[in-house]
Amino acid sequence: MLQLRIICPADRTDRVTALLRRAVGTANLVVLPGAGRDPAGDLVACDVAREAADELTDELRELRLHEDGSITLQDIAVSLSKRAERAEREAPGEPADAVLWEELLEATHEESTVSATYLAFMTVAVMIAACGVLLDNAILIVGAMAVGPEFGPLAGVSAGLVLGRLREAGRSLTALLTGFAVAMAVTTLFTLALDAAGLFGPDMLAREDGPTEFVWQPGHLSLVVALLAGIAGTLSLTSEKSGALIGVAISVTTVPAAANAAAALAYGDLRELRGSGQQLAVNLIGIVAAGALTLLVQKTLLERTKRRERALAEQRAADGAGR
């Protein structure tokens, strides 16, 4: 269950409460007249089933409450209420399958900001991966994959394309490309600096048949893994199974490929630079495509469920009126 909190202009409170009363999946409605100060208005709150929240927030947006007041949704850790349990049973679909599109856009928007922190995480991840590549250390490669923050922008591109928010998609793409460009540039300088210090050398990059050779040798399985990771990562975001994102992060070779490309650039190895660039491109395109397809399927299934539930509700209403 989620808690819905609304600061509502007084002239729209009756319409809002009527909407919440008739909406499927709501419970425990509370109205505090005049409680809002900034913005001014009435405070309206209720519990709402996760699977009913997206449609309800769309209706509230049509009343312009997000412009003249506020609409807030947050998770309820514990809910001891028979009425809330009944509301959750009445809501269409299953909570695990519900998608809050506004929540998804909010999460990806936050993670797709070209901030100092985002660039720092991306750069550090690629630098760690460069150490792993040159030392032929798979543990460092895996650690770098877990540190990299690139899945947020990738999911933002997918969500923006599916929902028609092209500005959001462009913003996420800009963050993604900027992050990798900055990280690879810094890592190239980092490689040259450690080479000058005698800690790295071109022979370390040229080693064959090591455990990290896969990062610059793309193949059909690279695309397969990227597609599967895109599906799993998107599902983890939309279903709040955030723990699965760690598994997604360490299953794709975006960060290691970028690191290998930076090291190859530092040493002028065009073969590995080309292979690493292809590996990076395959993974980025595969994840975005799989993420968009996953969201499109979820959106289609949710809309079908809502249509079916509306039809059943209309049928029950018609049957009741005929008695």
Side-chain angles (χ1 to χ4, degrees), residues 26 32 45 79 161 167 172 222 224-226 229 231 246 257-258 297:
T26 60
L32 297 176
S79 177
L161 292 175
R167 180 176 296 179
S172 297
S222 298
V224 171
V225 172
I231 294 170
I246 297 297
V297 170

Side-chain angles (χ1 to χ4, degrees), residues 158-174:
S158 298
L161 292 175
V162 171
L163 299 177
R165 306 280 186 92
L166 298 184
R167 180 176 296 179
E168 292 294 330
R171 184 175 183 275
S172 297
L173 182 60
T174 299

Side-chain angles (χ1 to χ4, degrees), residues 168-187:
E168 292 294 330
R171 184 175 183 275
S172 297
L173 182 60
T174 299
L176 185 71
L177 297 180
T178 301
F180 273 112
V182 170
M184 291 170 68
V186 173
T187 302

Side-chain angles (χ1 to χ4, degrees), residues 129 141-142 144-146 148 150-151 154 180 214-215 221-233 245-258 279-280 282-284 286-288:
I141 293 287
V142 171
M145 289 174 171
E150 74 276 14
F151 195 83
L154 286 167
F180 273 112
F214 69 94
V215 302
L221 283 179
S222 298
L223 179 59
V224 171
V225 172
L227 292 172
L228 294 175
I231 294 170
L245 275 178
I246 297 297
V248 172
I250 61 178
S251 65
V252 293
T253 55
T254 49
V255 166
Q279 182 77 277
L280 179 59
V282 165
N283 277 272
L284 294 179
I287 292 172
V288 169

